[in-house]
Amino acid sequence: MNQEGKPILYTYFRSSASARVRIALNLKGIEYESRPVNLAQGEQRSADYFALNPSGLVPSLEIDGHRLTQSVAILEYLEETRKNRPLLPADPLLRAHVRAIVGAICSDTQPLQNLRVLLELPEAERAEHARRVISQGLAVVEKMLENTAGRFCVGDDVTLADCCLIPQLYNAHRFAVDFAALPRIREIEERAAALDAFHRAHWSQQPDCPANIV
């Protein structure tokens, strides 16, 4: 913890996993200190960061005297310890729907197109690989939304599903995914963009975002 007692989020501006946590912290009104870890320059592989997070990934969150890793685990911790702004519905079935969408994004899609995977491929193949994986993953989510969506992914309130979907769309835009067959996702993205918590978590608003790519 820092001297002011604020949570510390180790993050990277383009990391969708970090953005999930940024959104949830903002929604719950938790002020935090951002400490960038430059993935492009390999800072996540430093001895100091490995001591903080043995997976060498972002995000990591220091909060309540604890050090947490893995974005979904962090989201669940925030939900269980900060009840002021629920991000899981009260109904068990709806909670299961939220977690299913979270899994479709955070387990089935994002890990297959993250930086570690892309760097294993020839540079000429990276964009197409990412575009294909993201397109397939979002097609699954779009189908799931047929049975769950209201104004947002599950019903009319923002949930953890939205916290995970919107950052995945950052990558979708970056790799020129075609949104034509994703009408529900497009609508949810537009509604989220109007909310301050999502705006402040956007990659372009982060202190480590280079001015030349905004």
Side-chain angles (χ1 to χ4, degrees):
M1 302 291 287
N2 65 14
Q3 292 180 348
E4 298 177 358
K6 290 182 181 178
I8 298 171
L9 180 66
Y10 295 85
T11 179
Y12 178 60
F13 78 103
R14 260 188 173 153
S15 162
S16 59
S18 296
R20 301 165 194 159
V21 176
R22 295 196 299 259
I23 293 167
L25 289 167
N26 292 342
L27 286 168
K28 289 181 176 287
I30 302 171
E31 294 187 11
Y32 65 93
E33 175 187 336
S34 179
R35 291 194 184 173
V37 178
N38 193 318
L39 303 187
Q41 295 181 4
E43 291 180 0
Q44 73 277 19
R45 295 190 294 272
S46 70
D48 287 346
Y49 193 70
F50 272 128
L52 180 75
N53 184 334
S55 69
L57 300 173
V58 292
S60 301
L61 180 68
E62 293 183 353
I63 189 170
D64 301 335
H66 308 298
R67 183 175 294 156
L68 306 177
T69 62
Q70 294 295 334
S71 63
V72 175
I74 293 171
L75 294 177
E76 293 277 1
Y77 178 85
L78 294 175
E79 181 66 8
E80 291 171 3
T81 60
R82 271 70 177 178
K83 306 291 187 181
N84 58 305
R85 172 58 175 89
L87 295 174
L88 282 172
D91 180 82
L93 178 60
L94 296 181
R95 293 166 82 93
H97 287 322
V98 169
R99 288 185 167 115
I101 294 170
V102 168
I105 297 164
C106 302
S107 297
D108 298 343
T109 305
Q110 188 272 338
L112 301 180
Q113 53 86 144
N114 69 13
L115 182 61
R116 288 195 303 175
V117 171
L118 294 183
L119 291 177
E120 294 294 322
L121 299 173
E123 186 171 0
E125 298 177 11
R126 293 171 187 172
E128 177 55 33
H129 171 85
R131 184 162 47 249
R132 182 175 64 255
V133 167
I134 297 169
S135 297
Q136 292 170 347
L138 291 182
V140 171
V141 173
E142 179 72 19
K143 190 68 177 177
M144 296 168 80
L145 294 177
E146 290 181 7
N147 298 317
T148 67
R151 287 181 52 79
F152 291 97
C153 284
V154 180
D156 293 329
D157 296 321
V158 173
T159 67
L160 295 181
D162 305 285
C163 294
C164 295
L165 172 63
I166 298 304
Q168 185 60 60
L169 302 185
Y170 303 167
N171 292 336
H173 290 296
R174 180 183 176 191
F175 292 108
V177 167
D178 184 357
F179 277 67
L182 305 172
R184 294 173 184 82
I185 287 175
R186 292 201 313 269
E187 290 174 0
I188 291 168
E189 182 181 34
E190 290 176 4
R191 295 184 183 115
L195 300 179
D196 180 67
F198 286 87
H199 173 73
R200 288 189 289 122
H202 191 271
W203 60 266
S204 65
Q205 303 301 305
Q206 303 315 302
D208 58 323
C209 179
N212 64 340
I213 69 168
V214 174

